[in-house]
Amino acid sequence: MNLRSFARRAMVLSKDASVFELGFLVDGRLQGLDFTVDGRSVGLYFVDPGDYFGELTVVDGQPPAEFVVAAMKSTVAFLDADTVREVILSHQEAAKAVMQKLARRIREVTAQRTLLSLPNPFQRLCVLLLQLPSSQLKDQRVVEQIPTHQELAIMINASRETVTRAFQLLFTQRILVRDGNSLIIIEPVVIKDIAEGRMPPPKA
């Protein structure tokens, strides 16, 4: 493996890559994204420390299906695709892990497609908040290292200003609370009701 460091917003993996590698995030955070025909960015997924990316190119030998950029200063360990492929073919546990990761990615893409079909950006934001990895704290949920408003905006196909306004309303009504880099969902039932259309978004 070889280690590389990336500044925030730097390109980590390009769809135009000619050298195929599997990347393991050591520290920081990455975001997978693509662009529409009119140049708008669409967020697809996040990569957190301990996770890996680029497995699709390892499996099929084709260029990456999306771009991966550094959401913050990050360190990535890369292993060339041929070596990874040999490990997968000779170790059942490695093959099983990659298949499970690909299955999880397909589920994430399916959920993302469903999210983007919702007409209301506030509703899409609430769905995304429930999809982000979180821990349970009594009746509340804690999202560690909450993405920036811009990163959330491109995940739900909305403007950063729209996300900021939505958060302001949720903070004002004590549905959400910010704790450093973490987000505490004080009223997860309310977020779920808005996400599923049983409750209208709060008004200013």
Side-chain angles (χ1 to χ4, degrees), residues 3 30 40 51-52 73 91 99 118 156 164 169 171 189 192:
L3 283 174
L30 310 177
R40 290 182 295 110
D51 201 358
Y52 60 90
K73 184 179 179 181
H91 294 80
M99 285 192 297
L118 297 172
I156 65 171
T164 299
L169 289 172
F171 288 145
V189 174
K192 190 171 188 292

Side-chain angles (χ1 to χ4, degrees), residues 129 137 140-146 149 166-188 191:
L129 290 176
L137 180 64
Q140 304 170 357
R141 296 176 66 172
V142 180
V143 180
E144 305 286 349
Q145 296 294 324
I146 185 72
H149 291 186
F167 270 117
Q168 288 172 345
L169 289 172
L170 293 169
F171 288 145
T172 298
Q173 301 202 15
R174 296 286 295 177
I175 297 171
L176 303 178
V177 171
R178 192 71 182 254
D179 182 16
N181 291 327
S182 300
L183 184 72
I184 303 175
I185 303 178
I186 303 293
E187 301 285 353
I191 294 294

